[in-house]
Amino acid sequence: MRHDHLITSKQLSRADIETVLDHAADIAADPSAVADRHAGTLLGLLFFEPSTRTKMSFETAMKRLGGDVVDMGSIESSSVKKGETLADTVRVIEGYADAIVLRHPKQGSATMASEFVDVPLLNAGDGAGHHPTQTLLDLYTIRENAGLDDLTIGIMGDLKYGRTVHSLAHALTNFDTRQHFVSPESLRLPREVVYDLHQQQDGTGIREHESLEDILPSLDVLYVTRIQRERFPDENEYQTVAGEYQIDVETLEAASDDLTVMHPLPRVDEIAPEIDQTDHAAYFEQAHNGVPVRMALLDLLLSDDGTAGPDGTDDTSGGDLDE
Amino acid sequence: MSNEGDNEDVDHELRVSKIRDGTVIDHVRGGQALNVLAILGIDGSKGEELSIGMNVPSDRLARKDIVKVEGRELSQDEVDVLSLIAPDATINIVRDYDVEEKHRVERPDVVEGVLSCPNAACITTGNEPVTSRFTVLEDGVRCSYCETIVREEIASLIDT
Ligand SMILES: [Zn+2]
């Protein structure tokens, strides 16, 4: 099946993921080979929620492929303020751009928007729902640091509202992974996500914990997310909870020397800056990987014939998003 | 076939008047009759002739509801949607006082435009030109947009 839109990591098979990651690795090795592949192509950026990093990462990726972006601009200055529906907005932008990247605060917005357009639509985050391109760059980083099979990963922090977590957890079920979810009781994985993970993997590779302590020594990867202040009505309650899900060099004494620490960024204080200097830290590398991964994805989605080789020729090993 | 409903329940059936032409929805779980009407969009305001029996004793269900709608035969789509809140229901199509057709409800794979999503953060709850769509799970329904799963209280989502 060829995917016209990328809405959720659930639509990605292991073969799809490997196609994108392999192509991203080729691009990272030789970016000049794809520098003009998409000259004249315009990517529409619709960000109904501010997200400097994701937006700049897409913008950089498109420009490095020789294309350009058209940007809706800030929400305040757009027609959205006047009450235009998302369905109308995407139908208008479809006329300007060859593909659309959408970030929107409502869950399911990307699914709905994709029903109104024929150009490829990429979900760059829909509320607490999905963030599949983040997942691809996360998987790329995990593969580079720890491999994707026989992997034990801890995912810690705000698992309830963390869309990057939901997307990543689902994608990881395609591989031989054991997933440990570490969070306060109030921020556990939504039951919808647990339902999907059990559907996908019989729940055998899935464990939920309130404390990192017991499982830390067994982890190859620790994926940390931010616990947001605004999730707690009471500042003291936030301080108490957040404090338990912060890591520093002392915390990591119990970890394997090979532990890879990741974070979708931005971080506040959940990872002490002293960890940045250690071999564990992979979060800046992770952020940088967003560009080649998004270049690979855009190249695959925007190539008419569905095949995209790093040298600009048809290259079946570069592959398309077909299974 | 000349009786409405099952023979074992015939005494209780008689508490609700017979209809000439229309639909008898029997074996609705006790207390769900009004939700059945809501899901069918029937509120009596268009002059429909309705008979409702609620919480009558039943052999199959401890207590059941019966809804009789005069002059209206339910479509298969309507019957399918009923299955969400009345999975044991039997549908009797009555013509000239005789039960002409008898169906069990069947759970559909998808219901569209019938339920509204309980998730306030769902795109379908705003003013977008989109019809609600839920996939039917073994034990609940799931919004096709935000993926919220509802297991209990499906009746409260009925879009009226
Ligand atoms: Zn919904």
Side-chain angles (χ1 to χ4, degrees):
Chain A
M1 186 190 79
R2 181 170 168 77
H3 305 301
D4 296 320
H5 307 295
L6 181 57
I7 307 298
T8 153
S9 67
K10 286 194 247 179
Q11 71 191 87
L12 298 172
S13 67
R14 181 182 177 126
D16 290 336
I17 291 166
E18 286 177 339
T19 299
V20 177
L21 302 196
D22 290 347
H23 193 31
D26 289 342
I27 289 174
D30 183 12
S32 65
V34 292
D36 298 316
R37 267 187 69 86
H38 294 282
T41 299
L42 279 177
L43 184 63
L45 300 178
L46 298 185
F47 279 67
F48 291 82
E49 233 179 30
S51 164
T52 314
R53 283 166 195 75
T54 303
K55 192 163 145 183
M56 281 186 73
S57 169
F58 268 111
E59 189 166 352
T60 306
M62 192 68 245
K63 289 183 172 171
R64 287 207 181 280
L65 288 169
D68 208 339
V69 297
V70 283
D71 188 334
M72 172 180 89
S74 72
I75 305 147
E76 284 66 31
S77 63
S78 77
S79 53
V80 176
K81 264 281 187 216
K82 297 168 194 147
E84 184 181 56
T85 62
L86 173 61
D88 280 3
T89 306
V90 292
R91 279 182 285 189
V92 171
I93 305 306
E94 177 185 29
Y96 305 158
D98 302 294
I100 292 174
V101 177
L102 176 69
R103 158 75 60 99
H104 195 279
K106 289 250 180 185
Q107 256 171 288
S109 51
T111 303
M112 189 210 74
S114 72
E115 293 172 358
F116 287 91
V117 297
D118 289 325
V119 299
L121 186 136
L122 288 86
N123 183 7
D126 61 330
H130 301 278
H131 196 358
T133 66
Q134 174 75 40
T135 293
L136 288 166
L137 71 92
D138 290 344
L139 293 172
Y140 184 88
T141 310
I142 294 170
R143 189 169 82 165
E144 295 277 294
N145 283 276
L148 277 169
D149 281 306
D150 192 22
L151 176 79
T152 303
I153 182 170
I155 303 181
M156 182 172 86
D158 179 353
L159 309 184
K160 186 174 184 180
Y161 300 100
R163 57 190 163 207
T164 61
V165 169
H166 307 161
S167 282
L168 177 61
H170 205 280
L172 285 169
T173 61
N174 285 300
F175 301 89
D176 173 21
T177 54
R178 292 162 295 280
Q179 299 191 55
H180 296 279
F181 297 97
V182 186
S183 73
E185 174 71 28
S186 62
L187 295 175
R188 288 175 65 167
L189 282 176
R191 61 181 182 171
E192 281 77 17
V193 176
V194 174
Y195 174 90
D196 285 334
L197 295 177
H198 281 251
Q199 291 286 101
Q200 190 71 16
Q201 211 179 43
D202 299 333
T204 47
I206 314 296
R207 295 279 180 280
E208 294 182 85
H209 311 267
E210 278 194 57
S211 161
L212 178 65
E213 210 176 337
D214 298 341
I215 52 145
L216 180 61
S218 70
L219 299 181
D220 303 307
V221 173
L222 176 60
Y223 191 101
V224 184
T225 67
R226 184 158 47 104
I227 291 179
Q228 291 175 282
R229 221 178 224 99
E230 54 267 34
R231 303 297 180 206
F232 295 85
D234 176 45
E235 175 73 17
N236 287 336
E237 198 190 333
Y238 161 74
Q239 292 296 350
T240 312
V241 169
E244 287 181 44
Y245 298 91
Q246 290 167 352
I247 59 167
D248 54 24
V249 164
E250 203 183 322
T251 317
L252 295 188
E253 278 170 13
S256 148
D257 289 345
D258 297 330
L259 176 74
T260 299
V261 176
M262 295 173 60
H263 191 297
L265 304 180
R267 70 172 155 174
V268 180
D269 48 14
E270 54 277 15
I271 299 177
E274 62 198 24
I275 293 179
D276 301 358
Q277 317 308 324
T278 70
D279 290 340
H280 296 302
Y283 27 91
F284 292 113
E285 170 195 341
Q286 182 185 355
H288 297 160
N289 288 338
V291 173
V293 169
R294 291 188 170 108
M295 285 171 78
L297 185 65
L298 289 169
D299 188 25
L300 293 165
L301 283 171
L302 293 168
S303 296
D304 288 339
D305 55 3
T307 56
D311 58 359
T313 60
D314 288 358
D315 173 357
T316 45
S317 71
D320 55 12
L321 283 175
D322 295 356
E323 285 199 42
Chain B
M1 290 190 287
S2 60
N3 277 319
E4 294 173 16
D6 291 341
N7 287 331
E8 79 256 26
D9 290 333
V10 71
D11 290 346
H12 307 301
E13 291 287 318
L14 296 174
R15 297 182 189 187
V16 183
S17 64
K18 279 180 165 280
I19 61 173
R20 181 190 174 104
D21 296 298
T23 305
V24 177
I25 308 160
D26 198 359
H27 300 112
V28 173
R29 284 181 184 175
Q32 291 291 324
L34 297 177
N35 289 326
V36 164
L37 291 173
I39 221 167
L40 297 174
I42 296 172
D43 60 7
S45 66
K46 295 181 194 76
E48 305 96 324
E49 194 178 312
L50 297 173
S51 312
I52 302 168
M54 291 184 77
N55 294 312
V56 300
S58 159
D59 288 348
R60 176 132 53 99
L61 307 167
R63 292 275 165 179
K64 68 168 187 177
D65 290 1
I66 306 170
V67 176
K68 303 190 182 191
V69 187
E70 181 71 52
R72 174 158 169 191
E73 295 187 7
L74 295 182
S75 71
Q76 191 60 47
D77 281 353
E78 290 175 312
V79 170
D80 288 346
V81 168
L82 276 182
S83 70
L84 301 178
I85 55 166
D88 310 298
T90 44
I91 311 295
N92 301 298
I93 306 293
V94 179
R95 294 180 194 128
D96 203 17
Y97 296 110
D98 279 343
V99 174
E100 293 287 336
E101 288 172 35
K102 196 161 184 146
H103 313 282
R104 278 294 186 89
V105 298
E106 261 179 61
R107 292 172 78 72
D109 296 330
V110 176
V111 288
E112 281 188 81
V114 177
L115 307 173
S116 55
C117 186
N119 176 9
C122 178
I123 190 72
T124 63
T125 62
N127 62 343
E128 298 293 335
V130 62
T131 306
S132 78
R133 186 170 71 232
F134 287 77
T135 53
V136 179
L137 309 174
E138 221 165 277
D139 59 345
V141 294
R142 183 176 213 181
C143 177
S144 301
Y145 292 93
C146 73
E147 305 187 329
T148 293
I149 294 174
V150 184
R151 293 201 169 84
E152 301 90 30
E153 304 295 322
I154 291 172
S156 69
L157 307 183
I158 296 167
D159 205 358
T160 50

